[in-house]
Amino acid sequence: MNAHVAPPRPGSETEAASRRPLSVRLATPRGFCAGVDRAIQIVERAIEKYGAPVYVRHEIVHNRHVVERLKAMGAVFVQELDECPDDRPVVFSAHGVPKSVPASARDRKMFYLDATCPLVSKVHVEAERHHAAGRHILLIGHGGHPEVEGTMGQLPDGAITLVESVEDAHRVMRPGQQPLAYATQTTLSLDDTAEILSVLKARFPELPDPHKEDICYATTNRQEAVKRLADGSDLVLVVGSPNSSNSVRLVEVAMRSGAGAAKLVDDASQMDWSWFESVHTVGITAGASAPEPLIQALIAAIGDRFDMTLMDDPGERETVSFKLPRALTA
C-alpha cells in the first residue's frame, strides 16, 4: 500500500495543522471498465464522424455525469427506436438489447452501432446455445434492468425464467420435463449469486456450469477490492449513480464485509459531512461507469476539510480492452 500526505489545495482557508487527521484508502481497481470505456467511445466517435445528433437508445451507461456530457456533445437519449428518425445514427447501450430492436432498425434501414459490452454478448450467446440444446434457462438477475431485458429478449417468450432472489430459487419450477441451464446478469453480487446458485443446484443437480463465469471480470475485481477496503474502514464511499447496478452492489458488499458505514454518492456535492463524525479511516471506490475525475474531486473535497493521508490499496491491474466497431475505425 502506497501512502502520501496530501498537501492542502491552493486557496484552502484552513491550515493543515488545525484540521483533524483522516486516512483515506483508494481502491484498485475502481471506475471505468473496458466495456463502459468502449461504449462511451462509440458515442463520441459517432458524433465526431457523422455529426450531431446521434441517437442513443437508453442511457449508454448508468452514470448521470457521462450522460449529461454526451448530451452536450450532441447525443440524444431515447427510450425506444420509434423516437429516432430513420436518417440519423442510433447507438444501442452497453447493457444490450432484445433481438427485436436491431431487427426493427434493419426493417427501417437505419444505421446503428451496437455498444453492447462483449461480456454481455457472451451471455447472449450462451443463452442461445442452451436454448438450441433444448434447455430451459434460469436467469439470475434483477427484473427491469436493461441487461436482463436484453438477455431475455434474445429468445422466444417463455424460454427464460427470471430468478431474482433465494426465495425465487426455492420456488421456481421446471417447465415439464425440460432440462435446465442457468445464466446470470454480469453486474451481480458474487456472494448473493453464489447463495442463489447453491439453492438451485441443490434442487436441480443436473444444472451445468457456464463455460465461464457470467459475472464479468470488472464486477468481480471491484467487489474483491471493496471487500479489502471495508476491512478497517469506518466509512466506505462508492462513487456511482443510483441506477448503476454494479455501484449499488459495491455498497452492499462493503457493508457485508465489515465497513462501519457505506454510502453511494453521484459526486462530491452529495457528501454529508456528518457521515465523518468519529471516522478515522475512509475507503473510496467507484462503480464501473463512474469517471475518474469524479473520484478525484471527491478526494479533493475531503482534503479541503481534513489533514488527509491518501493511500492506494493494492489490487488487480486491469489490462482488458475491447475493439470498436469497424464502421468507426475504417
Side-chain angles (χ1 to χ4, degrees):
M1 184 182 296
N2 299 319
H4 65 272
V5 177
R9 290 203 301 166
S12 174
E13 297 176 358
T14 309
E15 294 297 328
S18 65
R19 293 181 292 174
R20 179 164 69 83
L22 184 72
S23 295
V24 175
R25 296 169 57 194
L26 192 57
T28 302
R30 62 184 181 275
F32 277 4
C33 64
V36 164
D37 188 51
R38 173 180 179 269
I40 294 169
Q41 283 192 61
I42 287 173
V43 178
E44 292 171 340
R45 295 205 186 188
I47 294 169
E48 179 182 329
K49 185 168 183 176
Y50 304 110
V54 166
Y55 287 77
V56 185
R57 184 186 180 275
H58 292 179
E59 292 188 354
I60 186 67
V61 297
H62 283 161
N63 184 272
R64 178 173 63 86
H65 292 273
V66 170
V67 169
E68 292 301 321
R69 183 177 66 82
L70 292 175
K71 280 182 180 178
M73 293 175 64
V76 177
F77 291 87
V78 299
Q79 288 302 303
E80 298 299 341
L81 282 188
D82 59 16
E83 301 172 63
C84 305
D86 292 347
D87 60 349
R88 294 304 304 162
V90 60
V91 180
F92 303 149
S93 82
H95 309 101
V97 295
K99 275 190 172 179
S100 59
V101 174
S104 176
R106 288 191 295 270
D107 288 344
R108 292 172 56 185
K109 296 182 171 53
M110 300 175 76
F111 174 66
Y112 67 86
L113 296 160
D114 190 353
T116 301
C117 174
L119 299 178
V120 174
S121 296
K122 179 185 76 69
V123 176
H124 294 178
V125 170
E126 286 293 298
E128 290 186 307
R129 182 179 67 83
H130 288 308
H131 181 64
R135 303 184 186 106
H136 183 80
I137 298 160
L138 305 177
L139 175 62
I140 303 171
H142 298 296
H145 190 280
E147 183 185 327
V148 167
E149 293 178 351
T151 298
M152 295 188 76
Q154 300 304 303
L155 299 176
D157 288 348
I160 299 177
T161 298
L162 181 62
V163 179
E164 298 189 73
S165 63
V166 169
E167 291 73 26
D168 283 353
H170 281 293
R171 288 192 298 258
V172 69
M173 300 301 294
R174 182 196 305 273
Q177 299 301 310
Q178 197 172 0
L180 299 175
Y182 73 86
T184 74
Q185 185 179 332
T186 63
T187 55
L188 298 179
S189 159
L190 295 168
D191 296 333
D192 287 348
T193 303
E195 191 176 0
I196 291 170
L197 278 175
S198 69
V199 173
L200 290 175
K201 288 197 170 190
R203 294 188 60 209
F204 310 112
E206 86 279 15
L207 275 174
D209 289 324
H211 291 315
K212 295 181 181 178
E213 282 299 324
D214 289 344
I215 296 175
C216 81
Y217 80 93
T219 296
T220 300
N221 290 346
R222 280 152 189 73
Q223 288 183 19
E224 292 300 327
V226 87
K227 286 179 181 179
R228 293 190 297 271
L229 205 64
D231 184 15
S233 289
D234 304 309
L235 170 66
V236 170
L237 299 172
V238 178
V239 180
S241 292
N243 61 338
S244 166
S245 174
N246 72 85
S247 299
V248 173
R249 300 291 85 73
L250 289 176
V251 174
E252 295 170 354
V253 171
M255 287 302 297
R256 189 178 296 142
S257 301
K263 304 291 184 180
L264 180 67
V265 292
D266 234 333
D267 54 43
S269 71
Q270 294 186 351
M271 295 281 278
D272 181 342
W273 298 104
S274 68
W275 297 339
F276 288 72
E277 292 176 8
S278 303
V279 165
H280 302 286
T281 301
V282 175
I284 296 177
T285 188
S289 50
E292 182 67 19
L294 297 180
I295 305 163
Q296 295 305 319
L298 186 69
I299 293 168
I302 294 171
D304 280 346
R305 290 163 176 82
F306 297 92
D307 181 14
M308 180 178 68
T309 301
L310 185 63
M311 298 168 284
D312 291 311
D313 263 25
E316 188 77 21
R317 296 290 173 177
E318 294 175 347
T319 58
V320 177
S321 63
F322 295 128
K323 292 181 180 179
L324 296 176
R326 190 172 300 173
L328 295 177
T329 58

